[in-house]
Amino acid sequence: MTRRYSFLSIMREALRNHRGWKPAWRKADLRDRYDVVVIGGGGHGLATAYYLAAEFGITNVCVIEKDWIGGGNTGRNTTIIRSNYLQPESMALYGLAHKLYENLTQELGFNVLFSGRGLVSLAQTRHELDQLTRIADANRHFGIDSWLIPPQEIRKHVPMLAEDSRSRYPILGALYQPRGGTARHDAVAWGYARGASQLGVDIVENCAVTHLVSEGDKVVGVATTKGTVLAGTVAVTAASASAEITASAGVRLPLRAQTLQALVSEPIKPVLDVVVMAGAVHGYVSQSDKGELVIGGGTDSQIDHSRRGAPPRIEESAAAMVELFPSFARLKMMRQWAGTVDMTSDRSPIIGPAGPANLWLNCGWGTGGFKAIPGSGYVFAASLANGRPHPIAAPFGIDRFQDGRVIDEDAAAAVAH
Ligand SMILES: Cc1cc2nc3c(=O)[nH]c(=O)nc-3n(C[C@H](O)[C@H](O)[C@H](O)COP(=O)(O)OP(=O)(O)OC[C@H]3O[C@@H](n4cnc5c(N)ncnc54)[C@H](O)[C@@H]3O)c2cc1C
């Protein structure tokens, strides 16, 4: 189904100065009507469209993106993938996503550079160790491969860590998930876009949805900057903009927009072959295939829709890294950026019907939704195709905020992720 490039075709392009590459997905024009309109061409919207077509045979689908696909949080994140969450509902969702990630390159015929290199979440206070012990117990009970490791084993995985005598916080233990890791964020968006487009899905970029079109208590389409489109089902996957969009159909979402930053160092030789997260100093790091150290931390205290972020948070993240890895102090930081993330009060996403007929939600992924993209796309597509929430998606309905059935992942969300 998907096109694969052979070594010879890559060589041919190199010799003709890369002038023969075909666009990976069609530039589609908006049609008058679709079975499903997906608002937002981030990872969750594109994966939903792909699985609708690939798994459920629904191809009369359009993804409408206001800028360029993957230009939101999906293309701005630090790509950490893991499934060692605390609550059973989350382990089911992120566990499915993790498994799908492991085979995503083969599924899409597009290299998403998944690297299950191992993930170490440090405990540097007694409180953190208690928290991570609780998560490790929950993971073992649920069958997620994640467990506590002692300081001497941590230092085997991360020999560059500062000696306890040189740091504010000693290393007491860590939660270790050997299959945790990273993938290339743009490739995930591009791979799903290409796969969906090849199956007949229209991807329309540079087109913003301005409001939902309702008839009585049902949503029948969307108004966009390129005209109005009718839809059997409207799926909102627009991250922090979701609230503004659903407000036009009278639906209020319990989302708060927050700024989250990341930064990368100059490239260096391989020094770190696991992902390291550290809640006490509030930072995390992995090394990219290019050799850059990819660094992040907590959310900014103030929202900044320019997606630049405020200097104090950059300083805090850099200081956290230098505290953990004193030798990093000599590195130059090359780039810094931010995204606007959509936070819920329990740090879990919202997946399910919105209230008005035909309107569905997949948002609230906050600081940790990249790792969920394949699983979320699959269960959301199944929900849309069957007209009822998939069993893994069902607990994440918006009604949980009214019923008090929250899925509290504040502790397991750790340093933002
Ligand atoms: C700095 C940073 C680091 C992060 N690190 C990690 C990490 O390590 N691991 C992890 O799992 N997660 C991480 N995340 C979170 C992760 O990036 C997000 O949860 C995830 O990408 C959300 O995907 P999405 O498809 O829901 O949203 P997005 O990728 O933001 O997509 C939403 C799309 O909707 C479009 N849109 C908005 N309004 C409209 C409209 N009116 N009409 C049409 N389109 C519209 C936007 O342009 C955007 O492209 C991080 C985020 C940031 C910012």
Side-chain angles (χ1 to χ4, degrees), residues 15-16 24 46 63 94 107 130 132 173 192 237 243 252-253 264 297 300 309 339 343 349 360 375 388 395 404 408:
L15 292 173
R16 62 178 174 188
L46 293 165
V63 179
Y94 293 98
E107 163 79 22
D130 287 349
L132 295 184
Y192 274 122
T237 63
R252 286 184 65 202
L253 299 185
V264 292
D300 279 26
M343 308 287 281
W360 290 72
R388 62 173 185 282
D408 187 353

Side-chain angles (χ1 to χ4, degrees), residues 25-101:
W25 58 91
R26 283 177 297 113
K27 299 276 174 213
D29 291 323
L30 212 51
R31 284 187 263 144
D32 294 339
R33 191 185 187 288
Y34 291 93
D35 292 338
V36 182
V37 163
V38 179
I39 307 175
H44 290 275
L46 293 165
T48 302
Y50 172 78
Y51 290 114
L52 274 172
E55 296 289 331
F56 303 98
I58 302 175
T59 55
N60 185 18
V61 175
C62 181
V63 179
I64 301 182
E65 166 54 50
K66 94 175 151 61
D67 297 322
W68 63 97
I69 63 162
N73 295 319
T74 297
R76 292 166 185 273
N77 77 85
T78 44
T79 79
I80 293 174
I81 295 170
R82 64 186 179 91
S83 43
N84 50 0
Y85 277 70
L86 175 63
Q87 309 293 351
E89 297 87 347
S90 317
M91 287 186 272
L93 179 58
Y94 293 98
L96 171 67
H98 203 160
K99 283 201 186 113
L100 292 175
Y101 256 125

Side-chain angles (χ1 to χ4, degrees), residues 88-233:
E89 297 87 347
S90 317
M91 287 186 272
L93 179 58
Y94 293 98
L96 171 67
H98 203 160
K99 283 201 186 113
L100 292 175
Y101 256 125
E102 289 173 323
N103 195 42
L104 195 56
T105 291
Q106 290 80 355
E107 163 79 22
L108 299 174
F110 195 91
N111 194 352
V112 301
L113 299 178
F114 175 79
S115 157
R117 61 184 67 178
L119 185 139
V120 173
S121 299
L122 298 176
Q124 293 183 279
T125 65
R126 188 71 237 171
H127 173 67
E128 269 190 309
L129 190 61
D130 287 349
Q131 253 177 14
L132 295 184
T133 305
R134 203 170 147 226
I135 296 172
D137 286 348
N139 291 164
R140 187 178 329 112
H141 184 68
F142 200 82
I144 297 278
D145 60 329
S146 157
W147 53 83
L148 279 185
I149 55 173
Q152 52 287 21
E153 196 179 331
I154 299 170
R155 290 190 184 279
K156 278 193 202 140
H157 289 297
V158 201
M160 292 185 78
L161 269 179
E163 292 301 320
D164 282 351
S165 56
R166 292 193 55 186
S167 50
R168 246 187 324 162
Y169 301 106
I171 306 287
L172 302 178
L175 187 65
Y176 177 56
Q177 185 168 32
R179 290 164 52 244
T182 61
R184 170 81 200 271
H185 48 20
D186 298 317
V188 171
W190 298 337
Y192 274 122
R194 189 179 79 144
S197 174
Q198 284 175 345
L199 293 167
V201 170
D202 281 356
I203 294 169
V204 179
E205 295 173 270
N206 298 310
C207 176
V209 169
T210 54
H211 58 272
L212 300 170
V213 180
S214 302
E215 267 176 24
D217 60 356
K218 63 177 186 202
V219 170
V220 294
V222 298
T224 79
T225 46
K226 291 185 177 172
T228 296
V229 186
L230 297 178
T233 300

Side-chain angles (χ1 to χ4, degrees), residues 66 236 238-246 253 255 340 342:
K66 94 175 151 61
V236 183
S240 59
S242 302
E244 199 184 324
I245 293 167
T246 62
L253 299 185
L255 291 181
T340 309
D342 42 342

